[in-house]
Amino acid sequence: MLFNAEFLGLLVLVASAAALGLSIVIDVGRVSAERTRATVLQRQIDKRRSALREWTTKTNARAGELKALQTRLTEAVGRRQKLQAELKALEHSKVEMVHELGECDAAALGYWSLLAVAEVSGGVDRRDIIFSRQIWDYRNVAHTWAGSAEHAVSLLRAAFSERCGVRPTNLQPIGAAGEALTAEGVAA
């Protein structure tokens, strides 16, 4: 059989059409595979975006809670420090170092006197003062048992002279000392 030019041209045309059709089918398959892959990736991106939005919302909520807790902690620490300061002040104001003078018998009257640190003068060295420095972190009072106020003053002056660095003040009967303490607490 002889092939003529028309037949060969037709054969080349059919083969070219078949090759073109095959390349179109392959390209369509690639494009559809790419679209499917892009759709799958877009779904994954959307899932991750929604998860990110959820985490952002949760993180913002937790940050708000953390800020509220931090504020509460700061307030609690402030209240604690204030209460500790008040407790320390209360301890120091309620604790008294009581120095007893005289003999407590039926004829003796009780007198109360507040003791304060006197300024050291006249060349008295701080080392010569007979009382420890820590004792003056608290309130110091003297209970003096004597027959009269004058006798109580003389006992106080004998016990707490200028050289010891302690000065007695506010001599009054022990019964009136509670009123003096209350008035002092109100003034403070």
Side-chain angles (χ1 to χ4, degrees):
M1 170 159 118
L2 284 171
F3 295 109
N4 62 9
E6 287 181 9
F7 178 75
L8 281 176
L10 186 60
L11 188 64
V12 169
L13 182 66
V14 169
S16 297
L20 181 63
L22 185 60
S23 74
I24 289 173
V25 168
I26 291 174
D27 285 343
V28 168
R30 284 183 187 162
V31 168
S32 100
E34 288 296 323
R35 283 187 182 165
T36 305
R37 189 176 302 136
T39 305
V40 168
L41 289 175
Q42 189 62 42
R43 285 183 189 155
Q44 288 178 352
I45 289 171
D46 291 342
K47 285 181 183 178
R48 289 182 180 173
R49 281 183 182 158
S50 67
L52 178 63
R53 277 192 297 267
E54 288 178 24
W55 277 106
T56 303
T57 304
K58 287 180 182 179
T59 303
N60 290 340
R62 296 284 189 236
E65 291 174 9
L66 181 63
K67 191 173 185 177
L69 288 173
Q70 186 67 31
T71 304
R72 285 181 52 202
L73 176 66
T74 303
E75 290 172 356
V77 167
R79 283 194 308 266
R80 178 177 171 231
Q81 288 175 346
K82 182 180 176 185
L83 288 174
Q84 284 177 336
E86 288 177 5
L87 182 62
K88 188 174 182 179
L90 183 65
E91 286 176 353
H92 285 283
S93 68
K94 294 295 180 184
V95 174
E96 286 186 340
M97 297 293 188
V98 179
H99 306 267
E100 296 268 341
L101 302 172
E103 293 292 325
C104 181
D105 56 13
L109 298 172
Y111 293 95
W112 176 91
S113 178
L114 182 64
L115 300 176
V117 176
E119 290 299 320
V120 177
S121 61
V124 177
D125 189 9
R126 266 319 231 188
R127 292 175 294 188
D128 293 339
I129 296 177
I130 59 173
F131 294 104
S132 170
R133 201 71 183 136
Q134 290 81 11
I135 199 172
W136 300 108
D137 290 339
Y138 302 97
R139 181 195 315 264
N140 282 265
V141 296
H143 288 181
T144 308
W145 303 99
S148 67
E150 292 80 23
H151 185 232
V153 169
S154 65
L155 283 174
L156 281 170
R157 284 188 183 148
F160 303 106
S161 66
E162 292 267 332
R163 289 191 52 89
C164 75
V166 178
R167 179 176 39 92
T169 59
N170 301 335
L171 181 70
Q172 48 192 294
I174 285 185
E179 297 169 5
L181 289 176
T182 305
E184 183 180 314
V186 169

